[in-house]
Amino acid sequence: MTILVTGATGALGRLVVDGLLDRGAAPTDIIAGARDTAKAADLTDRGVRVVRLDYDDPATVRAAVEGVDAVLLISSSEVGHRIAQHRSVIDAARNAGVSKFVYTSAPRATTTDLVLAPEHKATEEAIVASGLPSVILRNNWYTENYASDLEAARATGVLAASTGAGRVASASRRDFADAAAVVLLDDGHLGSVYELGGDTAWDYTELAAAMTEVTRRTVEFRDVSLDDRVTGLKAAGLDPGTAGFVAAIDTGIRNGALAGTDGSLSRLIGRPTTPLVDGLRALV
């Protein structure tokens, strides 16, 4: 079975390739799609076939998908452009007769009010409409998303956010990558929608405590108003639009959008998910 991994030079894509190889996939059965193939020289050295795949260039997408059995569509990082980019992959996969289509979506994408969900919802709807045999992986937050917060906390001793007592069921990116590798390689997952998250949901007071352990500096969680959060983000160098977007994610967390965890991720990968403190420690 040939497996195409899109976005293969990104942080998640590289880990998915690792997960496939670790689970016995032959390097020659893996196709790594990358916008810039020069960044994938290490994958070529491992025997993985590398092809150019640019979400904004449908011709490269069609060429990459031709003759492939399974496709992992890793969601684009270009917020505001994702729907068209994803549809180019979906259409190419349908026309090529792909027998398994896997997509990395967002938690409760079709029902949540999380600010980043609408493009994922539209993508899921496009997959359903295409008729592709599919698996949806609704990935919760990556612990690695807190790398910049960890550095700021190390410098200031403060973790500022507008999340209140909201909880986050994060896991390390490798945990989610391993889940993708499992569903790509194993039978029995077609038609499934998995809500994937860490085994334990934590709040920002617990996040501050974990940062304290990792940095060996006392870190205080400071729950600020939404306006103050936006002001602080702009002072840190974010443009107004991005600052508002990040603050809106805080609101989603406050409202419980990232709190769900039912053990699906650990069951898929056959081990506990990476604890928060261990995931943060890997960032130091």
Side-chain angles (χ1 to χ4, degrees), residues 29 33 38 47 89 99 110 133 140-141 147 150 170 221 228 230 255 262 266 272:
D29 289 338
V89 182
S99 58
T110 56
N140 205 308
W141 226 226
L150 181 63
S170 78
F221 168 47
D228 286 346
V230 171
N255 293 337
D262 64 3
S266 56

Side-chain angles (χ1 to χ4, degrees), residues 6 23 90 109 133:
T6 72
R23 284 165 175 75
I90 294 166

Side-chain angles (χ1 to χ4, degrees), residues 141-226:
W141 226 226
Y142 303 137
T143 300
E144 289 86 349
N145 290 348
Y146 292 98
S148 60
D149 294 290
L150 181 63
E151 288 306 307
R154 184 201 297 275
T156 66
V158 174
L159 170 66
S162 183
T163 54
R167 306 186 78 83
V168 179
S170 78
S172 290
R173 200 175 264 114
R174 180 171 291 279
D175 298 333
F176 293 105
D178 284 348
V182 167
V183 301
L184 285 165
L185 290 172
D186 295 350
D187 295 329
H189 299 287
L190 289 178
S192 296
V193 177
Y194 291 111
E195 297 284 351
L196 301 181
D199 293 333
T200 303
W202 44 262
D203 63 23
Y204 271 56
T205 298
E206 293 167 302
L207 175 59
M211 288 181 172
T212 295
E213 182 175 342
V214 169
T215 64
R216 299 185 180 180
R217 171 177 183 168
T218 299
V219 177
E220 168 201 359
F221 168 47
R222 189 171 296 166
D223 188 24
V224 300
S225 71
L226 194 62

Side-chain angles (χ1 to χ4, degrees), residues 18 22 42 54 58 71 74 78 109 129 166 195 203 207 219 230 240 256 274-275:
D18 287 344
D22 290 344
D42 60 310
D54 184 342
V71 172
I74 294 178
E78 297 180 28
E195 297 284 351
D203 63 23
L207 175 59
V219 177
V230 171
T274 306

Side-chain angles (χ1 to χ4, degrees), residues 4 7 14 39 43 62 71 75 80 87 98 165 231 239 256 261:
L4 171 66
R14 285 186 181 279
K39 295 180 179 179
L43 298 178
R62 290 192 296 269
V71 172
S75 57
R87 280 180 176 157
V98 166
T231 298
D239 64 81
T261 177

Side-chain angles (χ1 to χ4, degrees), residues 20-139:
L20 291 169
L21 293 171
D22 290 344
R23 284 165 175 75
T28 53
D29 289 338
I30 302 171
I31 302 171
R35 178 177 294 180
D36 182 356
T37 57
K39 295 180 179 179
D42 60 310
L43 298 178
T44 301
D45 290 343
R46 299 169 72 184
V48 173
R49 179 184 166 199
V50 175
V51 298
R52 184 166 182 268
L53 191 159
D54 184 342
Y55 292 147
D56 292 319
D57 185 347
T60 68
V61 177
R62 290 192 296 269
V65 170
E66 189 64 34
V68 168
D69 298 303
V71 172
L72 172 64
L73 170 56
I74 294 178
S75 57
S76 165
S77 61
E78 297 180 28
V79 176
H81 301 280
R82 292 195 251 197
I83 297 173
Q85 292 174 329
H86 294 169
R87 280 180 176 157
S88 72
V89 182
I90 294 166
D91 291 345
R94 180 196 61 221
N95 293 335
V98 166
S99 58
K100 182 185 290 187
F101 191 89
V102 183
Y103 174 62
T104 61
S105 190
R108 296 185 289 132
T110 56
T111 58
T112 185
D113 59 2
L114 190 65
V115 66
L116 54 74
E119 289 178 304
H120 291 290
K121 178 177 183 291
T123 300
E124 288 193 20
E125 290 170 346
I127 293 169
V128 171
S130 75
L132 281 166
S134 64
V135 186
I136 305 298
L137 303 178
R138 291 179 174 170
N139 290 354

